[in-house]
Amino acid sequence: MDTNKKSLSFMISELKRFFKFFFSELKPKGKVFTPFNIITGIIMLTGAVLLVIRFAFGLGTITNLSQEYPWGLWIGFDVITGVAFAGGAYVLTFIVYIMRDEKYHPIIRVTVLNGFLAYVFYAGALLLDLGRPWNVINPIIGNSFGVSSVLFLVAWHFLLYMLAEFIEFSPAAAEWLGWKKTRKVLAGLTLGAVIFGITLSTLHQSGLGALYLMAKAKIHPLWYTEFIPILFLVSSVFAGLSMVIFEGSISHKVFKHRISEEIHRSHNDIVIGLAKICAGAMFVYIFLKALVFVHGQHWTYLNSGWGLWYLVEMIVFVAIPCFIFIEGYQSKKINLIKFGAVLTLIGIILNRLNVSVIAFKWYEAVRYYPTWGEIVVTLAVISAEIWVFRWIVNRMPILSDMPDWAKRQDQIGELESVTQKSESLKWKASIT
């Protein structure tokens, strides 16, 4: 009985300590009234008002969505483009944890955090576009699975991938809270979560492209192909890594006081290495697009405004950035690589919007275009993600070194792993 009372007392004291610490961490660090905070604050407040109107009076009050155009900017940019930008997480975790390339390990936490937040906010933006958002849980709870829809696959992949990324990121949160035992358990789950997450990510990146296989007659032939899922997957590689270069460059300046010496020292080498991978993936993408173009016999479409628009996307925002990455890698020009990353990100936005919005129902006289309300809500989603990202990076060991006790845990874990492998080899040798 006394033991139970002691346990209960300990739990209560720990909860009090946790909430006291958590609320103290909610206080802003640094100046509150900065130009960035004021502008993004106004955008988020305006977006919140618009969303209240949207949920109170329906989609038609602040959007141009209709039965003819049920998907607009919120799906085309927030979800389809945002998920491609989050691709850096599954690519880098594969390189670091599966291929054991430690070169990129210093940025793995910030990359996973970016990917996790992108899914939470961009995939979460899907709720804004649903006429009855409360039904979003139906594919999960079984009320109406909808197994014949590709969205069933995408919904489950999104949910499970967010859980996998949360587990990958959670050791950093445990270090922030000082939860040593919990951190040890979570760190032990990381490799399994990484393998699970990579599998899911490759499937849903292509799954988003598969959604458009059902719209063959509605998408311009220059953008429609039965290989859209493969093209979405391949392009998510260089889209995600370009976002890592772009965000990493900004974080390097904004969070200078939080960045560890290891990241400072390896920043340029990491950017150059990412440029090499981007160039390789873009070359594969261009090759696949050329195959689709030639086999589809699309030459006649080039002699039109749509053909010119297609060439702008492929030459200015894919081929040229590919050569920029190659030149940047060979000459070690960091700024040139960053410029290539920006062009690539613009190209991905164009590609995803071309497939989902611009070249969708291209033959109609009356076309969809987003209202100012849709644009403001999209900017509000991006602003909110940046605020949360900044809050986490300023408090948790994302860019800074992990605590010494966490390093010792990892070293002990590695020693135990080596010992187990050695004993396993001895056992195999003894039975052969």
Side-chain angles (χ1 to χ4, degrees):
M1 190 66 180
D2 289 340
T3 306
N4 290 336
K5 283 184 177 179
K6 286 181 180 177
S7 299
L8 183 63
S9 176
F10 176 75
M11 287 177 63
I12 292 172
S13 66
E14 282 298 300
L15 280 174
K16 285 181 178 177
R17 188 189 69 81
F18 167 75
F19 283 113
K20 185 178 180 183
F21 171 74
F22 182 75
F23 286 119
S24 69
E25 288 288 83
L26 288 178
K27 295 177 183 175
K29 294 188 176 182
K31 294 181 180 178
V32 175
F33 295 103
T34 62
F36 175 81
N37 286 349
I38 293 171
I39 293 170
T40 53
I42 292 171
I43 290 172
M44 286 191 290
L45 283 174
T46 309
V49 172
L50 289 171
L51 286 178
V52 170
I53 296 171
R54 172 261 176 270
F55 283 110
F57 302 105
L59 280 166
T61 52
I62 67 165
T63 73
N64 273 338
L65 298 176
S66 62
Q67 292 296 331
E68 288 73 29
Y69 291 98
W71 288 4
L73 182 69
W74 291 346
I75 295 293
F77 181 81
D78 296 11
V79 180
I80 306 294
T81 309
V83 168
F85 286 164
Y90 85 86
V91 177
L92 279 189
T93 51
F94 175 78
I95 293 172
V96 172
Y97 291 110
I98 307 300
M99 299 183 70
R100 308 300 296 175
D101 188 341
E102 292 297 319
K103 176 179 177 180
Y104 302 100
H105 201 275
I107 61 166
I108 198 68
R109 279 191 170 179
V110 69
T111 305
V112 169
L113 175 61
N114 275 324
F116 174 64
L117 292 180
Y119 273 85
V120 170
F121 282 89
Y122 297 150
L126 180 66
L127 295 176
L128 311 178
D129 206 79
L130 299 178
R132 288 176 289 181
W134 52 88
N135 284 338
V136 74
I137 60 170
N138 282 347
I140 309 299
I141 65 174
N143 185 32
S144 177
F145 274 127
V147 291
S148 59
S149 171
V150 179
L151 279 174
F152 168 78
L153 183 75
V154 173
W156 268 97
H157 282 182
F158 273 22
L159 175 69
L160 295 176
Y161 186 63
M162 282 193 285
L163 287 174
E165 287 213 309
F166 178 73
I167 292 172
E168 291 173 35
F169 165 73
S170 57
E175 291 165 18
W176 169 62
L177 294 167
W179 292 351
K180 297 180 181 180
K181 291 182 180 177
T182 306
R183 194 264 181 196
K184 187 178 180 181
V185 173
L186 293 171
L189 297 174
T190 300
L191 184 59
V194 165
I195 295 171
F196 190 50
I198 292 169
T199 307
L200 290 169
S201 196
T202 53
L203 290 172
H204 70 244
Q205 289 285 358
S206 55
L208 285 176
L211 285 174
Y212 292 92
L213 293 179
M214 293 172 284
K216 181 178 180 179
K218 297 178 180 178
I219 301 175
H220 192 283
L222 284 172
W223 283 275
Y224 178 82
T225 165
E226 59 268 34
F227 296 107
I228 287 181
I230 296 174
L231 293 172
F232 266 42
L233 175 62
V234 175
S235 58
S236 73
V237 174
F238 57 81
L241 296 184
S242 295
M243 181 54 78
V244 172
I245 295 172
F246 178 70
E247 287 186 337
S249 302
I250 295 174
S251 296
H252 207 72
K253 295 180 179 176
V254 175
F255 301 108
K256 190 183 295 182
H257 60 293
R258 297 283 301 173
I259 293 178
S260 68
E261 181 59 33
E262 187 181 11
I263 295 182
H264 266 302
R265 192 173 55 251
S266 59
H267 176 70
N268 287 356
D269 281 344
I270 289 173
V271 171
I272 291 168
L274 293 177
K276 181 183 177 183
I277 302 170
C278 282
M282 293 176 96
F283 182 79
V284 173
Y285 181 77
I286 293 169
F287 179 73
L288 291 174
K289 289 287 283 187
L291 277 181
V292 169
F293 183 88
V294 172
H295 282 276
Q297 299 179 351
H298 292 152
W299 299 101
T300 54
Y301 293 113
L302 291 183
N303 190 27
S304 66
W306 287 107
L308 182 61
W309 185 236
Y310 175 81
L311 290 176
V312 168
E313 178 192 316
M314 285 305 301
I315 295 175
V316 179
F317 297 107
V318 183
I320 290 178
C322 180
F323 284 108
I324 287 176
F325 281 133
I326 293 171
E327 173 61 22
Y329 169 74
Q330 291 178 337
S331 59
K332 316 293 183 194
K333 293 179 179 174
I334 302 300
N335 289 334
L336 187 63
I337 292 172
K338 292 176 182 176
F339 177 63
V342 172
L343 283 183
T344 302
L345 293 176
I346 296 172
I348 289 296
I349 294 171
L350 275 185
N351 174 259
R352 296 305 194 259
L353 289 182
N354 279 333
V355 172
S356 60
V357 177
I358 299 172
F360 194 84
K361 289 192 174 180
W362 54 284
Y363 43 81
E364 293 283 359
V366 180
R367 305 290 311 286
Y368 160 84
Y369 58 88
T371 63
W372 69 269
E374 289 175 78
I375 296 171
V376 170
V377 169
T378 294
L379 292 175
V381 171
I382 296 171
S383 301
E385 188 205 354
I386 295 173
W387 276 47
V388 173
F389 176 80
R390 182 179 61 180
W391 186 87
I392 293 174
V393 170
N394 275 329
R395 287 158 181 80
M396 300 184 192
I398 304 299
L399 294 169
S400 56
D401 289 325
M402 64 176 71
D404 290 337
W405 60 265
K407 291 178 182 175
R408 284 194 295 275
Q409 273 190 359
D410 286 348
Q411 289 168 354
I412 292 170
E414 288 175 7
L415 283 173
E416 288 176 348
S417 177
V418 170
T419 304
Q420 286 175 355
K421 285 181 181 176
S422 175
E423 289 178 352
S424 177
L425 288 172
K426 286 179 183 176
W427 179 77
K428 285 182 180 177
S430 66
I431 62 173
T432 55

